[in-house]
């Protein structure tokens, strides 16, 4: 046992010696290579470290002229130009690198991607698309697809965006159901707006196939059914939102109320919307429920609904509805709500940065500006954001 430990101890210095030699060799190698680099390289590097991109670029331009065959250097220079917003110069360098030829496949793809990013930065979307598409099927495809996807979304080319997102899913293994369903919804909305009902219906189905939780697809699907005279179908579409995401019920509650009222189905809708308010107590759901209850059950029932709503979820919006319908709100509720809101309204606000504070400051603690606090409370400034 002891012998083995001693053996290791004896070997330790030898390992140290080996490590020292290895380090020395590396350092020598580095020094030798550094000596071969032109001095201008270091000058540019220093300027970059000092954040003087302007002069660094001048130095690199001079250097690049002397070393035309140095692709890495040319690319670094082009990258600098793009960062400075001189996209035309970046484009010229990348294009001449590609035109000169002699690049290996890997480097050619790198330069192509850089050129595409130049075109994107310059707002030349068609040309960016062309370069990015050249990279499809190459090892650089995974880097080309995200900018290509952004480009199609910006150009509202939804079918191409869908195709690109699918390809990105394949390559990265990350599913993108929400995005793809939204692209289909854009297709559906466009078709709907242009009276292409068949196209809209197909796109809605595709959106739901991509993401069964896509509430937007059911909102559009309901509008489509309603336009085709199928009110029952429309109501069924909108009611599916409850199962998909109850948070989005405010987006369909009003549509359900209007359609049910027009179809003489208000009695059923009154109960449905009361249930929605229990799940998602927002003022939009409350308004929808109120409209239907008022029509079917009359003013006393509407007042009772409001009193219950204010008691369960007090809000200024709900109380203002209560006042509109002649119901006197409880004074204790009013005092509580006003207290919450006046605390915000009684603050001071910096005119330079918008920072709010309970005390008045001569020197803003957020943005350090002087004399930016008017001696008026937020409410008196008429700023309610
Ligand atoms: Zn400030």
């Amino acid at each position: 046992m002891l012998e083995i430990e001693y053996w290791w101890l004896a070997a330790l210095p030898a390992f140290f010696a080996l490590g020292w030699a290895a380090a020395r060799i590396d350092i020598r190698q580095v020094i030798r290579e550094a000596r071969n680099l032109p001095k201008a390289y270091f000058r540019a590097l220093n300027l970059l470290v000092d954040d003087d991109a302007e002069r660094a670029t001048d130095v690199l331009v001079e250097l690049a002229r002397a070393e035309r065959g140095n692709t890495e250097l040319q690319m670094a220079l082009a990258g600098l130009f793009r960062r400075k917003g001189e996209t035309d110069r970046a484009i010229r360098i990348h294009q001449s690198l590609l035109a000169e030829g002699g690049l290996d496949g890997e480097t050619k793809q790198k330069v192509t991607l850089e050129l595409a990013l130049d075109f994107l930065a310059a707002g030349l979307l068609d040309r960016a698309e062309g370069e990015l598409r050249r990279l499809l099927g190459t090892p650089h495809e995974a880097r080309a697809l995200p900018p290509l996807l952004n480009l199609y979304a910006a150009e509202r080319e939804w079918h191409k965006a869908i195709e690109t997102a699918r390809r990105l899913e394949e390559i990265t293994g990350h599913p993108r159901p929400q995005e793809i369903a939204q692209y289909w919804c854009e297709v559906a909305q466009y078709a709907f707006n242009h009276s292409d009902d068949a196209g809209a219906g197909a796109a809605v189905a595709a959106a739901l196939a991509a993401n069964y939780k896509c509430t937007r697809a059911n909102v559009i699907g309901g509008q489509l059914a309603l336009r085709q005279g199928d009110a029952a179908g429309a109501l069924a579409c909108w009611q599916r939102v409850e199962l998909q995401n109850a948070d989005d019920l405010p987006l369909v509650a009003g549509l359900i109320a209007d359609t049910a009222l027009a179809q003489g189905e208000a009695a059923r809708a009154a109960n449905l919307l009361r249930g929605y308010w229990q799940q998602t107590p927002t003022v939009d759901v409350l308004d929808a429920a109120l409209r239907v209850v008022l029509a079917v059950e009359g003013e006393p029932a509407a007042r009772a609904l409001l009193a219950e709503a204010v008691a369960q979820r007090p809000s200024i919006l709900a109380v203002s509805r209560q006042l509109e319908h002649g119901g006197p709100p409880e004074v204790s509720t009013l005092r509580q709500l006003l207290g919450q809101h006046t605390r915000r309204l009684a603050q001071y606000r910096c005119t330079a940065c918008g920072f709010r504070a309970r005390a008045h400051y001569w020197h803003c603690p957020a943005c350090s500006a002087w004399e930016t606090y008017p001696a008026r409370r937020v409410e008196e400034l008429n700023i309610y954001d």
Side-chain angles (χ1 to χ4, degrees), residues 363-374:
H363 187 200
C364 178
C367 73
S368 298
W370 291 96
E371 292 191 38
T372 52
Y373 281 80

Side-chain angles (χ1 to χ4, degrees), residues 105-314:
E106 160 82 12
T107 313
K108 203 169 162 188
Q109 287 161 23
K110 262 193 209 164
V111 178
T112 304
L113 181 64
E114 292 301 315
L115 181 59
L117 297 179
D118 296 340
F119 284 139
L120 273 182
L124 300 167
L125 300 188
D126 284 356
R127 306 192 68 178
E129 182 190 349
E131 297 305 326
L132 289 169
R133 291 196 72 90
R134 246 187 260 281
L135 295 168
L136 301 185
T138 73
H140 280 75
E141 180 169 2
R143 291 191 58 201
L145 287 173
L148 196 57
L149 187 56
N150 290 341
L151 188 152
Y152 288 142
E155 290 193 312
R156 307 181 65 77
E157 298 247 29
W158 304 117
H159 285 287
K160 286 182 178 174
I162 291 162
E163 193 186 303
T164 309
R166 290 265 183 234
R167 180 78 188 126
L168 203 53
E169 275 185 328
E170 253 173 63
I171 285 192
T172 62
H174 289 296
R176 317 168 81 93
Q178 278 174 311
E179 234 173 305
I180 292 173
Q182 284 293 334
Y183 297 154
W184 278 119
C185 284
E186 293 285 349
V187 174
Q189 190 66 58
Y190 182 87
F192 180 84
N193 294 347
H194 291 79
S195 304
D196 170 14
D197 285 12
V204 163
L208 287 168
N211 176 21
Y212 73 99
K213 290 240 175 203
C214 180
T215 51
R216 186 182 177 191
N218 277 325
V219 173
I220 301 172
Q223 285 161 335
L224 186 63
L226 189 65
R227 188 166 73 186
Q228 293 173 326
D230 179 10
L235 287 169
C237 269
W238 293 326
Q239 285 177 50
R240 269 180 227 129
V241 169
E242 184 186 4
L243 303 173
Q244 292 179 303
N245 181 8
D247 283 346
D248 283 350
L249 283 175
L251 301 176
V252 289
L255 293 168
I256 290 174
D258 293 340
T259 307
L261 283 169
Q263 295 298 310
E265 292 208 26
R268 202 176 63 84
N271 288 330
L272 185 73
L273 292 168
R274 275 197 174 100
Y276 284 1
W277 192 83
Q278 292 295 334
Q279 283 186 72
T280 314
T282 75
V283 77
D284 291 303
V285 179
L286 183 62
D287 280 341
L290 195 61
R291 265 206 321 277
V292 177
V293 167
L294 201 60
V296 186
E297 303 169 22
E299 190 74 54
R303 241 179 262 164
L305 172 67
L306 281 167
E308 190 196 328
V310 169
Q312 271 191 41
R313 179 64 66 118

Side-chain angles (χ1 to χ4, degrees), residues 4-17:
I4 292 167
E5 283 177 11
Y6 277 124
W7 183 87
W8 277 105
L9 278 177
L12 270 177
F15 283 121
F16 276 121

Side-chain angles (χ1 to χ4, degrees), residues 299-377:
E299 190 74 54
R303 241 179 262 164
L305 172 67
L306 281 167
E308 190 196 328
V310 169
Q312 271 191 41
R313 179 64 66 118
S315 76
I316 296 246
L317 289 170
V319 164
S320 77
R321 301 295 190 276
Q322 208 178 5
L323 285 167
E324 280 163 27
H325 287 271
E330 299 265 343
V331 173
S332 62
T333 309
L334 276 178
R335 193 186 305 130
Q336 187 201 335
L337 283 170
L338 282 176
Q340 284 168 11
H341 285 267
T342 47
R343 263 196 293 283
R344 251 165 46 84
L345 293 177
Q347 290 175 329
Y348 295 99
R349 185 179 183 275
C350 172
T351 49
C353 73
F355 184 75
R356 291 166 183 237
R358 238 184 281 176
H360 178 270
Y361 288 100
W362 292 110
H363 187 200
C364 178
C367 73
S368 298
W370 291 96
E371 292 191 38
T372 52
Y373 281 80
R376 277 171 175 59
R377 309 284 180 160

